[in-house]
Structures are given as C-alpha cells and as structure tokens.
Amino acid sequence: MISRRSFTRAVAVSAVATSLPAVTATTATATAGNTSLGRIKHVRAGVLDIAYAEFGPRTGQAVVLLHGWPYDAHSYVDVAPLLAAEGYRVLVPFLRGYGETAFRSPDAVRNGQQSAVALDVIAFMDALRIEAAVLGGFDWGARTVGVVAALWPRRCKAIVSVSGYLVTNLKRNLEPLPPAAERGWWYQYYFATERGVLGYRRDRHAFNKLIWREASPRWDFDDATYDRSAASFENPDHVDIVIHNYRWRLGLAPGEPRYDRYERELAAAPAIAVPAITIGSDFDGAAADGSSYRDKFTGRYDHRVFDGIGHNVPQEAPVPFAQAVVDADHL
C-alpha cells in the first residue's frame, strides 16, 4: 500500500488517501506535483541506444513503465517517485522515436510494429541485467506489456495494463467498426495519407496537444506539462515510427521479416498467464468494465475502473496507478 509518508516524500502533497480502488478527476489533479525525471541515462540495447529515467534503489524489485503515443516518459513523473519510496527500482524508458532514444545504425528500419517495440524492452532489460520485472503501461505501452507477457512470460513478475488486452491482430484489424467507433480513430486514417504525414511532420506539437485534449477531456493540464512531453516528439525518427505503427496496424505498411514468427504467435491472440491488474478509464467507454477481455488473463487477476480519468492514466491518476503496480507485485 502506498503510505502517506511515502507519498509526502515523493510528491510533497499534504493529504491523500492510502488506498484508491477508484479515483475521480478532482483527486487525480490534486496528486500531481513533480516536473522532472532527473538525469536521463542511456544504455545500448539491441538496435537502440535507449534513453531512460531511473528511480529508487538498484537492489529493489525492478519495475519497467512504458508510455504511449503521443506521450513520453513524463507520464510517470509522479508514479515513479511513489514506487521508489516503496523500495522499487523504477525504470522509465523512452520508446523508439521519442526523446533521446536513437537507432544505433542509420540504416535501421524505422519500424513501429508491436513485436519490434516489445523486443526493445527485452533488450533493455537484458542490457540492465534484469531477469524479471513488474511491467506497466498504457496505449503503446500497454500493448507492449501484453506482447512481452504473452511471448516472454518469465520476464514478467506481474503486469499492469491500461485498457486491458491490446495485442494487435492484423487480420481482425481489417474488419470495420461501427461508424461511431470508427470516428474515434480519425487520426489513423489521416496518417494513412501522404497529406497526413506532411501535416504531422509540420505541426506535430499542435496535433498531439489536440489528441491529449480529445483523449482526456477532463484533465486540466497546463502548457508546461504538455511541453515537457512534446520535446520528445522532436526526435528525428518520431514521425517515421508513428506513421509506420499506424499504417502497419491497418495492413498498409509491411513489418520486418525478422519479426514474422512473433507476429504469427500474436495473431493467435495468446492468453496472458502472469499476474495482472487491468485498468479501465473513461477513455475506454463501454469497455471500461473489462468484461470484453477478461478471458485473455488466465493467471491471478484484478480489474479496476478509474472514473473521471482519460487516456493518460498514470499522469492523471498517479496514486492509484502506483497502487496498482504494488498490488500486482503482490498478487
């Protein structure tokens, strides 16, 4: 349980509940406090030089926290100190195409497919000699957590996944959704056009700020909060990675053959057997109750709903997200 003492040490807020199975937008706003990830470290890992933030004792249970699009490691700027105060070693990498993370070879394919990103995490853990970690994530991060848990379960002590089971099935992705649901993914179709690539390349700062507001309409973030993350979008590979990710999901761009065997396994929608806590929020709409993916988690399991919270769950609701990580570790 996240204690009052730990929370005060971590984010200097005078009063907060110690156990939050649900959270309101008002509560989430009151818990934010940190603005810096501290010194950014680097490690060579697979095809990347990965930039990452680290918190807590090196001897603590490792926790790896993964961000999504269009966000960055600052999504965990309040979560990480909370977990560090509980004794965890918390590692928050910038995904490929974000921040200072860079490809080691100029000839590397700027590939955003799910198995490539998951193997980045495996390489990151290998480079830091971490055998098994508690993994947490949302958006691209949740998808990556799910892929790692499904294909390399021994590397996961437990997971926390916002929006549940997000492993991509390319064949299923070709099936149209109801019109109202399709409208919510407008940016994917925009990215499928060359006009969209040009527009995103020219004005991704304003574009991604619009996504933040649409995905989290009740989150009253300020310009400084957004700008800290927006700096990560200036990565020279960012646009290429984002465009490939969304085009690949729609079958409009090929993946790399080296990842074919992993994608074949993922196409079967493998169940996740490691201990897991899933989180639903307002962003998930009717799927927030988790019933649509409950059968994909076959190990020890809990599901939580954060009412009044949008898509960037760890930054909007850091205390209950951190509590979910601690609880998942003890399932």
Side-chain angles (χ1 to χ4, degrees):
M1 177 178 292
I2 302 293
S3 68
R4 288 182 186 270
R5 181 162 156 263
S6 296
F7 183 78
T8 301
R9 263 197 328 242
V11 295
V13 173
S14 60
V16 66
T18 58
S19 183
L20 296 173
V23 66
T24 66
T26 301
T27 301
T29 300
T31 61
N34 292 296
T35 60
S36 174
L37 292 167
R39 183 172 69 89
I40 300 302
K41 301 180 178 181
H42 288 257
V43 65
R44 287 190 171 189
V47 300
L48 299 175
D49 179 284
I50 295 180
Y52 68 101
E54 182 169 2
F55 300 78
R58 291 180 62 84
T59 56
Q61 167 62 53
V63 173
V64 178
L65 301 174
L66 305 174
H67 66 83
W69 173 86
Y71 307 94
D72 82 332
H74 286 87
S75 290
Y76 298 100
V77 72
D78 289 313
V79 170
L82 284 168
L83 293 173
E86 294 296 312
Y88 289 95
R89 181 189 184 189
V90 187
L91 302 152
V92 191
F94 291 79
L95 299 185
R96 53 170 62 192
Y98 294 82
E100 297 176 15
T101 291
F103 285 91
R104 295 171 61 189
S105 168
D107 300 322
V109 178
R110 272 44 179 177
N111 179 352
Q113 75 183 101
Q114 61 183 358
S115 55
V117 179
L119 280 164
D120 291 344
V121 175
I122 296 296
F124 177 69
M125 292 173 62
D126 287 346
L128 296 178
R129 299 183 180 180
I130 296 169
E131 183 61 29
V134 180
L135 300 183
F138 72 104
D139 192 78
W140 290 20
R143 178 170 292 103
T144 305
V145 165
V147 171
V148 173
L151 298 185
W152 298 280
R154 70 179 183 84
R155 307 304 298 269
C156 302
K157 188 170 188 290
I159 66 169
V160 174
S161 179
V162 174
S163 301
Y165 189 89
L166 295 182
V167 175
T168 297
N169 182 308
L170 292 180
K171 184 177 180 180
R172 187 176 302 165
N173 263 17
L174 296 178
E175 291 294 321
L177 299 171
E182 292 282 16
R183 182 175 59 183
W185 307 115
W186 64 270
Y187 54 87
Q188 296 194 28
Y189 307 123
Y190 182 64
F191 289 159
T193 70
E194 290 309 303
R195 176 188 176 98
V197 176
L198 181 60
Y200 191 60
R201 195 175 299 279
R202 282 183 179 175
D203 204 11
R204 55 191 174 273
H205 186 280
F207 189 99
N208 289 342
K209 195 170 190 178
L210 172 65
I211 297 295
W212 275 40
R213 296 203 183 281
E214 288 193 344
S216 300
R218 298 176 65 179
W219 182 29
D220 188 24
F221 61 87
D222 59 19
D223 288 344
T225 297
Y226 175 73
D227 290 344
R228 280 189 287 273
S229 288
S232 286
F233 312 148
E234 297 306 311
N235 182 300
D237 300 312
H238 177 78
V239 174
D240 291 339
I241 294 293
V242 170
I243 297 302
H244 183 267
N245 177 283
Y246 287 108
R247 288 186 174 184
W248 175 82
R249 287 198 224 175
L250 293 175
L252 301 175
E256 290 182 81
R258 70 167 97 176
Y259 302 117
D260 285 352
R261 66 188 182 101
Y262 303 114
E263 297 300 342
R264 283 194 294 270
E265 291 184 60
L266 295 172
I272 292 173
V274 304
I277 290 178
T278 56
I279 296 171
S281 70
D282 289 1
F283 178 82
D284 299 306
D289 67 359
S291 60
S292 63
Y293 48 75
R294 174 62 186 91
D295 64 346
K296 304 308 296 182
F297 296 89
T298 58
R300 297 187 296 278
Y301 178 80
D302 188 26
H303 179 74
R304 299 174 183 186
V305 178
F306 294 178
D307 293 321
I309 299 303
H311 192 35
N312 188 1
V313 170
Q315 198 163 3
E316 296 179 61
V319 173
F321 187 92
Q323 187 70 61
V325 172
V326 173
D327 293 345
D329 181 36
H330 293 95
L331 278 178

